[in-house]
Structure formats: C-alpha cells, structure tokens
Amino acid sequence: MTIRIAMWSGPRNISTAMMRSFGARSDCAVSDEPFYGAYLKHSGAQHPMAAETIADMDCDWQSVLRAQSGKAPGGAPVWYQKHMPHHMVGPVSIDDMPGHRNAFLIRAPERVVASYRKKNELRSVEELGFAQVRDYFEREADRLGSAPPVVDSDAILAAPAAVLSKLCEALGIAWDPEMLGWAQGPHAEDGVWGAHWYDAVNASTGFGPPPGDMPDLDGEYARAAEACRADYEALARHAISA
C-alpha cells in the first residue's frame, strides 16, 4: 500500500527543495502542484507562464483528485505530493483527501515576501497562502484530534538531518539520509512553470545554508508580511524542532 504524503505550503517556502529531498529517496514518487493548472484556469490569476501551465496540465478538479488519490507513479511505496491551499479554489479541498498523511511547511513572512517579490507582482496577501495554510492545518487537526506535522523552512535549513528525520518519524516513514542531496538541474517531475520559478533550486544539490538576518522590508511589502504574522505564529507553535 502506498503512503501518500500531502505537503501543504504557500509559495517561496523551500517547497521545491522539499520535493527534491523526498524525490531523492529510492522508494518515493513526487508530484509538483497537481492542482495548479485547475487553479489558474478557474481563477484567471495572472501568473508567469499561466497559459503554458494550463495547456500542459489536467485542469479538471475531480480528475486531478482521483489521480492524486489513485495508484502512485511506478507503484512507489511513498508518494510525496506538493500542494498549496490557496490554489484550492474549486470544488475539492483537503477534506476530500482523507487517505493522505497531511503535513505543513511554513516560513517567516518576511522571507516569503522578499522572495516572492523577486518573481511575481504581489497583488494580495492571499497569494502568499498563510491564512489558507492555517485553515487547512486547523481542519486536519480537528479531523485527527491532534496537531499534524509542521516544519519551518528556517529550521530545516539550520539542521536538515535532524528536522527531516523527525518529520519522517511523524509521517510514519523511515528516515533516509539520501534526502539531504539531489541531482542538479531541472527534474522530470517539475511543473512546466519551473522554467520561471526554479532557477535557485535547479542550481542546488542540497539544502542551502542556514538563514541569515531577516530581510528589511518597507512600505506595502512590510505591511504584507505583518498581515501574515498571526497565521504564521499560530502554525509555528507546532513546528518540529531540531
């Protein structure tokens, strides 16, 4: 039986590096934001490479849900799925994935805003996903009767082996040190949008250095980060530590 892991995060949360990490396991298949095409088609959001993404993907919500709940690629024992709650604007949600083991990836809002502004215009804080990640976390906690796993990007970068091994334990899978490194360049599982968004991770072969000082934001960017703070802090209280 395949263990399906749904990792939920906002953008610019080292989510692709996490996908690379799980993809380095010999027992694991990975999927890159499978609902992204449906989100773009349904919402009309003006994202880089939106037209190319819609043309390349299955954009039917129910069809994508069936695929992500069905047989794993290659019959892999573990299937890591990279998801973003703010993409789930159609008729399906985390509530329709009860067979998945859900986990949540977070990052300090200052770091998210600073990274996002380099790649796309920030039109609203909803595009950063903090409130939606918190909502999905709370739904899953209610379903389970306890907090599901949360990992903070800063903690992973500071001590990847320690934090990832605890995450694996929380998910009920064995720790594999192969998760600490991966092949450089684009990967076959990447979404077509990786040509715009994935330059840094494509240049990497492992997790980057520990985070430095918080970015210095001003104006609308500082206000955007502050608007996300309460949701981030509520999630951070549950984060796995090294």
Side-chain angles (χ1 to χ4, degrees), residues 78-232:
V78 180
W79 187 2
Y80 181 90
Q81 302 174 8
K82 174 187 167 191
H83 293 297
M84 297 198 172
H86 67 289
H87 289 170
M88 309 299 283
V89 296
V92 301
S93 73
I94 192 173
D95 301 331
D96 298 299
M97 302 166 71
H100 288 64
R101 299 182 186 182
N102 294 288
F104 298 85
L105 174 65
I106 61 173
R107 193 182 193 188
E110 294 90 345
R111 299 197 194 280
V112 173
V113 170
S115 181
Y116 191 91
R117 68 186 290 190
K118 296 176 182 177
K119 290 292 184 179
N120 196 20
E121 178 184 354
L122 180 57
R123 300 175 180 88
S124 71
V125 295
E126 285 74 23
E127 293 179 323
L128 304 178
F130 282 90
Q132 297 92 329
V133 172
R134 182 179 181 180
D135 174 57
Y136 270 28
F137 169 84
E138 290 174 348
R139 290 197 214 182
E140 183 66 356
D142 287 345
R143 185 180 77 88
L144 295 175
S146 60
V150 178
V151 282
D152 192 300
S153 300
D154 280 10
I156 293 169
L157 295 176
V163 174
L164 290 176
S165 62
K166 289 185 177 181
L167 172 63
C168 288
E169 181 180 4
L171 291 169
I173 62 174
W175 160 242
D176 186 345
E178 293 298 315
M179 294 174 68
L180 297 176
W182 50 81
Q184 191 176 49
H187 287 212
E189 301 86 0
D190 295 352
V192 65
W193 58 90
H196 175 81
W197 293 95
Y198 293 175
D199 52 338
V201 76
N202 285 344
S204 71
T205 57
F207 290 100
D213 295 337
M214 284 292 177
D216 186 17
L217 302 173
D218 57 16
E220 62 179 310
Y221 297 106
R223 289 190 291 273
E226 188 58 31
C228 300
R229 188 167 312 285
D231 292 321
Y232 167 74

Side-chain angles (χ1 to χ4, degrees), residues 19-35:
M19 182 176 70
R20 291 278 193 273
S21 175
F22 276 83
R25 299 174 60 106
S26 62
D27 63 351
C28 189
V30 299
S31 293
D32 191 7
E33 299 180 38
F35 290 99

